[in-house]
Amino acid sequence: MFIIRVAIDVPVDTLFDYLVPEIGLQDIGVRVRVPFGKKAVTGVVMEIIPYSSGSRIPSIKLKPAIELFRDIAPLPEPLLNLFRFCNTYYHHPIGQVVMNGLPGRLREGKPFVKNSPAGLQYRLTDAGRKADVSSIPVRRIVKRRLLARLGEGAPLCREEIKQSSVRALPALNEFLALGWVEEEIISPPILPIYPTNDLHGPNGAKRTAAVADAAIPALTGEQQCAFDAIAAQTDRFKPWLLHGITGSGKTEVYLRLISLLLRQGRQTLVLVPEINLTPQLEAIFRSRFPAARLISLHSGLNASARAAGWVQAQQGNAEIVLGTRLAVFTPMPGLGMVIVDEEQDTSFKQQEGLRYSARDVAIFRAKQAGIPIILGSATPSLESYYNSLTGRYSRLRLTSRAVSNAVPPVVRCIDARTVKIVEGLSEPLIAALEKRLAVGEQSLVFLNRRGYAPVLWCGACGWIAPCHRCSSRLVVHLREGKLCCHHCGHEERFPNACPECGNQDLAPYGHGTQRIETALERRLPNARIMRIDRDSIRRKNAWQHMLKDIQEQRIDILVGTQILAKGHDFPNLSLVAILNSDASLFSTDFRASERAFAQLMQVGGRAGRANIPGEVLVQTEFPAHPLYEALKKQDYDSLAQVLLAERKNAGFPPFVHQALLRAEAQRIDIALDYLARAAAILNPSRQVNVFDPVPAQMTRLRGMERAYLLIQSSSRGKLQEFLAAWRVKLAELPGRKVRWSLDVDPVEF
Ligand code: ADP
Ligand code: ZN
Ligand code: ZN
């Protein structure tokens, strides 16, 4: 008999022991079904010990495990170690770390692979590749389209094909009958683990060789330097900060590195922020590496596709894994490099459950695997920048735009105090838009606020429509005739009158994208205007169509939020107008300036990317603010120096390390009381500062009231020691009406 120690998704930081009659060490990492209370749950075998070594549980109480799932290879040791790292670094229960790191399908109470149709995938045979599309009648659109998609090189799984059209499966069967397509099982029940130098899987096809040469530009001098530096040291852990202005061609550097890794037969993990960037990057990667297997993992995928991709990566069958933060937990036996694009982006930090930073976990992962990691950004986080100053990271600079003749945009402020402003738009701004319109160039009006107006206001008594579940105001969505909370999703109808004084004359106050869109339509009736924000791209595929309209010049003016800020390349866009950016200048959040600057640089970077010089206009009441001064000079470094000096004086990260104990309850006093009691059981330490409990910035959220206790230290090690000891005591502290969690390296307060 053996005892297995199992990670289970429960909020207790321990493994649970079960008996199994027969098992070997190779079963560490296998999923297992075990009884838990009155239920059966799925967990992962983390440790195996002979029965004689004894369990912490007396033997008569030990229950036998129900079933081991050996349908896919066990989770590999490096992944288990990554989970163990998250468990100790983030002080989050091991079972929850492990189970939430797995795709949903692998958490279910049944094997993932049972030769179900979902486990099959299809690719073109040689005959299929040579097949003549014109032999298919023109009206058989589905059949033609399927052949074209398969022709792109990547295998398609049955689910994907099925979803594309009701006639797709019959078409597929015809191809199978013709011998144009071959079928593969995605995850055979017993998986061979391919050595890292043979990632080509059972078919043995040399897929990586075919790299399309045609569209590859010669690297600029700076790109070449960056590439050479990294390429010279691919066999050891080394964090690189690739600091390149927008348009400097960071993506091209990634592509060259990936190509190098493909030639070495190793896998690359590419992490991108959580916004509609993955499809674009995926398209770029696929066209550059048509024969490589690329798996894309993001929240838009259905559960089967995600699990299938994950299993492929684990088998070493995916040479490139491209994904958002959750992809950092993808097992990759031949991992040779990690790339984190837009490393400063806060969406790499998970804000619930295991509050991990995918960037930081990726660094641990690279260290563990002994491989380089590249953090790319035009405006690095101050943490990473500081690390490059101290020499922990090596910084590589790209200071000019990659496309010849393209120059960084000229940035100017419009002093909103001295010009006439109608409906949120100043005269100089309208004039600048008109100028672009006249020469047929595109403009972007950026404001980070969707909806029609941020508040609904009663002029008679000053009432403002609140969200009753959050400490926030309801946003006016005029088109939908609704008031919406952007924090909890609550919606309600427009009130007929003020609930306080009965006044019927309620007015939207301030400007959101819908209102600016309407104002622009009035002011520039000849312009073709398109609004791009989370509301307008909600419909499936809407975004794809809109991008096409922009690229094919059917749009003159874009009005949009941060969705537009990142990564998009609009060659004909020459003007970016920024509205409403002043709010972040005086925020209480010490990271607000850093974020605002990053965002403005990013959105400004959309202007003038190809051969048209770009212009950025900031409509502001504070044209002399240092942040705008830095923006005008496109000078990240001096602003970063100023902000770092401020942080040093004030004792903020990266000069100290922080953690929060967060608590939420029905009422704020319950949460605060819990935190006060939590503070009282602390072992005082001279190297760790504990602050008083305070309400969170957003005190009410979704009907719960929230508070936190800040703990900080100049020594990461001391902070960690302290948290480890404290967590044990916290587990015993009564607090039944409170939900608490630890947040290490918090980015939100
Ligand atoms: P970044 O990610 O740094 O903002 P991109 O990688 O998107 O920049 O590159 C900006 C543009 O420059 C893209 O259109 C890209 O195709 C082009 N580009 C990149 N490298 C080169 C190069 N060496 N020569 C010519 N064009 C390049
Ligand atoms: Zn009123
Ligand atoms: Zn709300």
Side-chain angles (χ1 to χ4, degrees), residues 467 469-470 472 485 488:
C467 175
R469 304 176 66 207
C470 305
S472 68
C485 175
C488 71

Side-chain angles (χ1 to χ4, degrees), residues 467-470 472 474 485-490 701-702:
C467 175
H468 59 270
R469 304 176 66 207
C470 305
S472 68
L474 292 175
C485 175
H486 286 185
H487 297 278
C488 71
H490 167 77
L701 182 66
R702 294 185 196 93

